[in-house]
Structure formats: C-alpha cells, structure tokens
Amino acid sequence: MLSFEKLYAEGHEEVVFFSDPSCNLKAIIAIHDTTLGPALGGTRMWPYESIDDAITDVLRLSKGMTYKAAVSGLNLGGGKAVIIGDPNKDKSEALFRSYGRFLESLNGRYITAEDVNIGVEDIEHIFTETAYVTGVAETHGGSGNPSPYTARGVFRGIEASCTKVYGDRSVKGKVIALQGAGSVGRHLGELLYKSGAKVFFTDINEKNIAAFKEMVPSAELVGVDEIYDVDCDIYSACALGATVNDQTIERLKCKIVAGAANNQLAENRHGDILKEKGILYAPDYLINAGGLMNVSIEFEGWSDNKASRMVDTIYDTTMRIFQISDEQNIPVYKATDVLAEARLQSIKNIQGKFLGAGVSHRFPGRKNRNRAV
Ligand code: NAD
C-alpha cells in the first residue's frame, strides 16, 4: 500500500496516477529525486496483477534512476513510469496520445523514454502530444535505439575491470560467458569479438541466437543453464536481473562479473560474497548507463560522436568506484552508492546556500511533433 511514510522513507518527491477510461489508460509516474535536474526514466508496460505490484515496481525503478544519473555525472533526476496493461492487447494510438497529454501536464518535471514493452513507435505517439520524451526516432531529431550505446558502456566497464584484475585494459584473449543475445547482448558480443575476445553465449530465443551468430561468427552457443559453468574470465549478464544468487554464485568460474542487466545481485549480500571470493563486480547501474547518457543529450542536439564520448567516461568512473571500494574496504555495490550519494548531497548543499538560484533544471526543450510539422 502506498503511504506517505513509505515515500518519506525512500525519498520520493511525487507519485502521480493518470487514468483515462476512454482508452483504458492506467498509468503511474514516480518522481524520486530532482536535485540534479528533471527526472528522466522510461515507461514500462506490464500486466501487473495488482496495483500494489505496479506501485512497488515504479517506486523501486524510479529510485534506481536517481542513483544511475547521479553516479554517471548526468544533470538528471530519477523517475520512472508504468502503464498497467497487456502490451499484446491494450496498446493503441489513443492510449499513448492520452498518456502524452498527461505527461505534458507535468511541465517537464518528468521526461520519459522506452522501457520494457515500449518501443519507438509508441514513443512517436507520445511525442505527438508532448516534447517531454526521449528515445524519439532519428527521423524526428531523436537518438533512436539506445542499445548500441548501452553495449559500448558495458564494454568500457569490462575494460576497466580487466585493468583492475589483469593490469591491462585489453580484452584480447579473454573468455566471456554472455547471457542474453538481445539488443544489448549482440552489440556487446560484436565489440568483444572485434577486440579479440572469445565469446560463449546463451539465449532462449532462436531468432536472437541466429542474429547473434551473424554478428559474432566465432561465438559458441551453450545451454541456458550451462552459462554459469563456463570456464571464463568474465560473466556478462545481459538478459535478466538477480542471476548472481545462492544457486549460481558457487558455480561461477570467472574473475569478473560485468553485464548490462539491472540488479544483477539477487541480494546485496551476494555482492559481499563476490568480494570474499575475489570476484570483481562491475557496478551494473553505472556500466549500463550508456543508453541513458545517449538519450540525455537529445534535447541539446544529439550526435553519435557526442554520445560516444560521453559513454566512454564510464571507464574512468568505474575505475574511481574500484578505488573507493579499495580505499574504504567495501564491496563495489556499496562504493557505487557512496559516489552517487556524495554527488547528490553536494548539490543539495549548494542549493541550500543559493536558494532560488535554480540548479541545472534547464532543458532547452523542443517542439513536439504536432508543433514541429
Ligand atoms: P532484450 O529483450 O533485447 O534482450 C534480452 C535477451 O535475453 C533476449 O534475447 C531474451 O531472449 C534473452 N533471455 C531472456 N531470458 C533468458 C534466459 N533465461 N537465459 C538466456 N537468455 C534469456 O533486452 P536488452 O535491451 O538487450 O536488455 C538486456 C538487459 O539489459 C535487460 O536486463 C535490460 O533491463 C538491461 N538494460 C538495457 C538497456 C538498453 O539500452 N536496452 C539499458 C540499460 C539496461
């Protein structure tokens, strides 16, 4: 159940419910923290079994976005939205345009993007009604598919991990067990392959397996459960969260865990166990922030060069987090939170000093599709 005590405890600023029976829209937007700027995070469509499940998800995800933006050095706050519905049956132009009108009413405090079950075509309908949306198609001045940039960031995180563990940034000759040959996985696989790594991979989707093989011809397919037993240097989770858990952790033979999936540790204590076992864990919400970085520059004019240079900073930030982890003798997942919270606190401090000065809440804005044409 949603309560003010819960919002106070987790630090959420605002939770908004939108409903429009004419198109069966049921949406919840959670704005967690706007210290660093307007909240940016994707909209997810999911057939939640109860409204409580939807609330739990949107609160958890929006808080995660605050930390992701903070640690990545972005001038963005954390927010996320969920639309309750079956993506196979309940999607319509009317629903997304109605949702877009509601977003407009928030005046830019929340900016949306793609997330699970929301694609560029849905974003285009939203963009007809509001400019507070990113991940817009390139034909309309957007940045298109973020997955190649997410993969690039994960690759930089893997390079930083190799520097820390092997004293050499290169992945040449390293063996990778890659779980999930989807949008991010296949671009990551290609980067690894082109840099001379040996890739073992798994997936449950035949089409994605075939697409992966085309991009990474030397890759070897292993069974869905066998991926945890591959004798490798790096285990890279690019499908699901919580795959570092009581069942898998004893099986992992790697020196590094570094992938795109969010919340890879089933519980924080698994991060402690990794440290005890001498396995380096690259902070998931930092190294998978390339997609967020990519959409964040849409408002100022996106370019591949600008996005790529920004994503490449993930290498240095990952190294900084490893340093904090060593200096304070804390696991990497805690060190990542330390860095994110320190930045949030430092900006809160200057806002306290210069009340009314308005820090970084300046998005130049752009026209929505209706106004542009
Ligand atoms: P995707 O849906 O394109 O790919 C996921 C792949 O995982 C699919 O091919 C699917 O068949 C496979 N899969 C599902 N269950 C599996 C299992 N049990 N074993 C093996 N494979 C399985 O998703 P994506 O966009 O590539 O994202 C991958 C992960 O990265 C997700 O966890 C996502 O939340 C996270 N992420 C993605 C982005 C992005 O820009 N796309 C950004 C940040 C984080």
Side-chain angles (χ1 to χ4, degrees):
M1 251 325 233
L2 193 57
S3 67
F4 281 106
E5 285 69 29
K6 194 176 175 125
L7 299 183
Y8 284 176
E10 296 294 323
H12 289 82
E13 294 175 6
E14 187 172 353
V15 180
V16 189
F17 287 64
F18 291 144
S19 75
D20 183 349
S22 75
C23 54
N24 205 16
L25 174 70
K26 299 178 199 120
I28 310 172
I29 294 173
I31 298 175
H32 176 254
D33 187 301
T34 57
T35 302
L36 299 175
L40 197 156
T43 298
R44 174 170 295 197
M45 188 167 192
W46 197 257
Y48 293 98
E49 285 189 3
S50 70
I51 196 147
D52 276 351
D53 287 355
I55 292 168
T56 302
D57 214 22
V58 79
L59 293 183
R60 180 180 62 86
L61 293 165
S62 56
K63 185 172 179 179
M65 292 307 293
T66 299
Y67 277 68
K68 183 182 285 218
V71 83
S72 306
L74 298 172
N75 294 323
L76 292 170
K80 204 89 178 182
V82 295
I83 294 178
I84 302 170
D86 182 340
N88 298 315
K89 292 194 297 216
D90 298 330
K91 282 189 177 184
S92 66
E93 179 183 353
L95 179 137
F96 288 111
R97 288 188 61 163
S98 175
Y99 178 61
R101 284 176 186 231
F102 280 123
L103 287 186
E104 180 72 13
S105 73
L106 294 178
N107 273 322
R109 287 199 302 288
Y110 168 70
I111 300 161
T112 201
E114 289 92 348
D115 197 70
V116 177
N117 292 323
I118 298 291
V120 174
E121 62 284 7
D122 308 318
I123 291 290
E124 285 295 294
H125 293 317
I126 296 169
F127 187 39
T128 306
E129 301 292 345
T130 183
Y132 300 122
V133 56
T134 56
V136 169
E138 281 184 65
T139 42
H140 289 118
S143 60
N145 178 12
S147 300
Y149 298 92
T150 302
R152 186 179 176 111
V154 175
F155 184 71
R156 295 288 175 241
I158 289 176
E159 286 183 318
S161 305
C162 286
T163 303
K164 173 85 177 112
V165 172
Y166 301 107
D168 179 3
R169 171 176 184 151
S170 169
V171 297
K172 192 163 185 213
K174 297 286 179 292
V175 179
I176 321 285
L178 196 156
Q179 180 184 48
S183 315
V184 179
R186 78 175 73 103
H187 285 103
L188 177 62
E190 189 181 39
L191 288 170
L192 291 163
Y193 160 68
K194 287 188 169 164
S195 306
K198 170 76 192 166
V199 180
F200 290 86
F201 79 108
T202 191
D203 201 290
I204 51 171
N205 178 314
E206 290 301 328
K207 225 172 92 193
N208 288 354
I209 289 173
F212 191 93
K213 277 295 276 179
E214 217 160 274
M215 283 170 78
V216 193
S218 68
E220 282 186 43
L221 181 66
V222 300
V224 168
D225 192 50
E226 283 162 21
I227 196 76
Y228 304 109
D229 302 316
V230 174
D231 202 352
C232 63
D233 297 286
I234 300 149
Y235 163 64
S236 187
C238 295
L240 314 162
T243 61
V244 178
N245 54 44
D246 289 336
Q247 283 70 49
T248 60
I249 207 160
E250 293 307 321
R251 291 166 62 186
L252 292 177
K253 296 188 176 65
C254 56
K255 287 255 174 286
I256 294 166
V257 171
N262 284 307
N263 304 317
Q264 288 168 41
L265 306 174
E267 295 171 45
N268 283 344
R269 67 183 172 85
H270 295 110
D272 302 318
I273 300 173
L274 285 180
K275 182 167 161 54
E276 281 158 25
K277 287 171 71 83
I279 298 176
L280 183 69
Y281 167 64
D284 55 4
Y285 69 78
L286 167 67
I287 73 166
N288 73 15
L292 177 65
M293 291 174 166
N294 181 54
V295 295
S296 78
I297 55 170
E298 254 183 47
F299 287 90
E300 59 194 59
W302 178 86
S303 79
D304 171 59
N305 188 22
K306 211 190 289 182
S308 300
R309 276 190 285 125
M310 203 168 179
V311 172
D312 289 347
T313 62
I314 287 176
Y315 178 90
D316 286 336
T317 315
T318 308
M319 292 304 292
R320 171 87 189 103
I321 286 167
F322 292 154
Q323 192 188 347
I324 295 172
S325 164
D326 283 348
E327 282 168 2
Q328 301 189 18
N329 194 23
I330 53 175
V332 169
Y333 75 89
K334 278 193 190 149
T336 318
D337 289 355
V338 164
L339 193 61
E341 283 163 8
R343 178 162 181 243
L344 283 164
Q345 194 51 54
S346 71
I347 302 306
K348 276 183 185 148
N349 290 345
I350 64 160
Q351 283 170 344
K353 275 192 207 132
F354 303 106
L355 268 183
V359 179
S360 71
H361 286 61
R362 286 171 269 115
F363 261 82
R366 62 174 166 198
K367 292 187 161 100
N368 70 12
R369 221 173 66 185
N370 263 354
R371 277 183 252 146
V373 290

